[in-house]
Amino acid sequence: LDWGSMGLAVDEAATLSEAMRTDLAANHDLANALLLLSLSCNPIRDAGVAAFVQVLPELHSLTALEIEDCQVGDAGAAALAAALLAEPRGGTAFRGRLRRLCLGCNPIGDDG
């Protein structure tokens, strides 16, 4: 699913995240089919990443996550790391499934 360069801001990211959660809950085939989620080149910032990490446990087959050039800082990176390392309900943590994580061109410092 490529939402790169769509001009998504924080509010739109939160709305899309909630819509995804609803759709994925109703359509388990979609949750098992989605391999790539790209949000690159959208100014979603830390709050947008925090919204999307709520969806990650539902993306059972996700192997690539692209969040490049999204104005994500330390707080967003920390929220993402916590979500990726968390043990989901009855599933496998992302550290065993995610093969590509792209976070380039974001102002993430040592605390992120």
Side-chain angles (χ1 to χ4, degrees):
L1 184 56
D2 187 354
W3 282 337
S5 300
M6 290 184 60
L8 300 176
V10 174
D11 292 342
E12 290 90 1
T15 300
L16 281 173
S17 172
E18 185 57 37
M20 277 185 76
R21 289 181 72 189
T22 301
D23 290 348
L24 291 168
N27 186 347
H28 296 290
D29 290 338
L30 177 60
N32 291 323
L34 188 61
L35 300 176
L36 164 72
L37 177 59
S38 177
L39 303 169
S40 294
C41 302
N42 289 298
I44 62 172
R45 303 180 182 267
D46 293 338
V49 170
F52 271 104
V53 300
Q54 303 302 315
V55 177
L56 292 180
E58 309 305 323
L59 301 176
H60 307 294
S61 298
L62 190 71
T63 60
L65 180 58
E66 299 174 352
I67 309 177
E68 296 176 293
D69 195 20
C70 290
Q71 301 175 11
V72 177
D74 292 341
L80 178 60
L84 294 176
L85 294 173
E87 293 292 337
R89 303 173 295 276
T92 305
F94 277 94
R95 64 182 166 267
R97 291 184 278 147
L98 199 63
R99 292 192 176 101
R100 187 174 78 217
L101 175 61
C102 302
L103 291 170
C105 299
N106 284 299
I108 300 170
D110 291 340
D111 292 335

